[in-house]
């Protein structure tokens, strides 16, 4: 038989085969590729989703202030919405619920206090940091009374505001090191951010929830207001009236008689103590006389 002397050229790239692969044959692939490990069927579903950046709603009628605050928050990695008055803020919050609201107290038509009240009624306990140009303590306390979680007095440092935003948002994340807490008919579920008293759900603000959870974790121990500000708020300094207001508001929701608190007791000259075992209502003094 005559042999062919034609040199066999290597096959160049060609169209991929369209027919079925014979049983037992390896699928075509790169020559240096090893055997492929089969991917789990639910690999896509088990991969962790990337964290969603927090959405911040900035409400201020001063365009310069709103622009500066928005710029700093945007550079810090947040998604920022803006509104120039109360009705626009309520509409934006209803359309796309924010993770936190930076809210000016002095707004035209509907002031920040009313916006805060309505927003909490419509959207639930969204964290609020209130901006105020007023230096009077009564105005700051009034903002806390309607449910603001923090306040910043104008003029303020935008960097400080970003740090306050980070602090408040950090407190909204459930703790991974604890399960549900309970004592004296009170229960707190940090993962669900849910609190109840004798089975009935409590409407608590962010800070009230954190304060109650802290008390439940540390029963029987007295804490000064500086201690509570550091442990609950995460601040090393600040206006201690913030703690006083939140203790008073929390008493109004967890005590049978807030005027004679049995659970959250005042320790004169020190601060407060959570005592779930105190059964004698006469053992505590009036709530309004704070340490």
């Amino acid at each position: 038989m005559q042999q062919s002397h034609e040199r066999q050229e290597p096959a160049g790239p060609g169209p991929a085969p369209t027919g079925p692969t014979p049983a037992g044959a390896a699928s075509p692939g790169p020559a240096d590729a090893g055997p492929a490990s089969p991917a789990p069927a639910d690999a896509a579903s088990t991969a962790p989703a990337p964290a969603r950046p927090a959405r911040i709603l900035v409400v201020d009628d001063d365009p310069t202030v709103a622009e500066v605050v928005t710029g700093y928050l945007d550079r810090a990695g947040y998604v920022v919405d803006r509104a120039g008055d109360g009705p626009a803020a309520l509409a934006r919050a209803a359309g796309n619920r924010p993770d936190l609201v930076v809210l000016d107290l002095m707004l035209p038509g509907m002031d920040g206090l009313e916006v805060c009240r309505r927003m909490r009624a419509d959207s639930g306990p969204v964290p609020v940091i209130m901006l105020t140009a007023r230096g009077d303590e009564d105005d700051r306390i009034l903002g806390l009374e309607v449910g603001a979680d923090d306040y910043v007095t104008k003029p303020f440092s935008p960097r400080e505001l970003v740090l306050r935003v980070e602090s408040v948002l950090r407190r909204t994340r459930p703790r991974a090191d604890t399960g549900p807490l309970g004592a004296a008919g009170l229960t707190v579920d940090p993962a669900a951010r849910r609190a109840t008293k004798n089975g009935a759900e409590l409407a608590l603000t962010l800070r009230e929830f954190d304060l109650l959870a802290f008390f439940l974790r540390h029963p029987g121990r007295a804490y000064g207001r500086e201690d509570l500000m550091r442990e609950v708020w995460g601040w090393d300094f600040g206006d201690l009236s913030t703690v006083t207001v939140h203790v008073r508001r929390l008493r109004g929701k967890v005590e049978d008689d807030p005027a004679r608190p049995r659970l959250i007791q005042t320790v004169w000259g020190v601060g407060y103590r959570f005592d779930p075992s105190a059964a004698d209502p006469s053992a505590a003094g009036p709530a309004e006389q704070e340490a």
Side-chain angles (χ1 to χ4, degrees):
M1 178 182 295
Q2 184 178 3
Q3 293 182 343
S4 172
H5 296 285
E6 293 181 2
R7 186 166 60 93
Q8 299 295 321
E9 299 291 340
T18 57
T21 302
S27 299
D32 58 347
S37 299
D42 58 346
S45 60
T46 58
R52 176 183 65 85
R55 180 177 295 276
I56 312 297
L57 175 60
V58 176
V59 187
D60 199 306
D61 64 320
D62 186 328
T64 302
V65 173
E67 184 175 352
V68 170
V69 170
T70 298
Y72 270 80
L73 291 172
D74 181 71
R75 286 191 291 274
Y78 299 109
V79 176
V80 187
D81 290 335
R82 285 173 55 176
D85 55 41
L90 295 175
R92 286 190 175 275
N96 202 338
R97 190 178 190 275
D99 297 297
L100 183 143
V101 180
V102 177
L103 177 62
D104 187 23
L105 178 63
M106 299 297 293
L107 292 173
M110 182 188 303
D111 65 21
L113 298 178
E114 182 62 22
V115 174
C116 188
R117 291 189 188 98
R118 296 193 186 187
M119 191 174 294
R120 288 193 178 279
D122 297 340
S123 303
V126 57
V128 173
I129 296 178
M130 193 160 284
L131 304 180
T132 172
R134 300 175 179 178
D136 188 76
E137 182 178 353
D138 291 341
D139 293 311
R140 299 198 302 269
I141 291 177
L142 186 58
L144 297 172
E145 290 281 7
V146 300
D149 299 286
D150 195 2
Y151 65 87
V152 177
T153 303
K154 296 180 180 179
F156 57 87
S157 163
R159 291 181 180 179
E160 178 189 356
L161 178 59
V162 172
L163 292 176
R164 295 290 185 97
V165 168
E166 292 173 351
S167 174
V168 172
L169 289 175
R170 185 168 59 250
R171 297 286 168 170
T172 66
R173 302 185 186 110
R175 291 171 58 107
D177 60 345
T178 184
L181 307 165
L186 298 170
T187 63
V188 165
D189 185 346
R193 301 292 296 183
R194 184 172 182 266
T196 63
K197 176 184 178 182
N198 298 326
E201 188 152 1
L202 296 171
L204 302 180
T205 67
L206 167 70
R207 296 300 187 187
E208 291 166 0
F209 183 95
D210 291 339
L211 187 59
L212 178 58
F214 182 82
F215 280 139
L216 285 171
R217 289 190 190 101
H218 306 282
R221 178 176 172 180
Y223 286 91
R225 289 183 294 175
E226 297 90 345
D227 300 324
L228 293 173
M229 177 162 285
R230 182 175 57 254
E231 297 294 335
V232 178
W233 276 257
W235 307 342
D236 290 324
F237 60 90
D239 187 346
L240 296 181
S241 64
T242 300
V243 178
T244 304
V245 170
H246 281 81
V247 169
R248 183 164 64 242
R249 287 176 56 86
L250 184 59
R251 280 172 166 166
K253 297 177 181 181
V254 304
E255 298 281 0
D256 294 331
D257 182 2
R260 302 185 68 84
R262 180 172 60 90
L263 297 174
I264 305 175
Q265 300 178 1
T266 296
V267 181
W268 303 113
V270 179
Y272 306 99
R273 177 180 60 237
F274 179 72
D275 189 357
S277 64
D280 183 6
S282 63
E288 297 305 319
Q289 298 177 0
E290 304 294 351

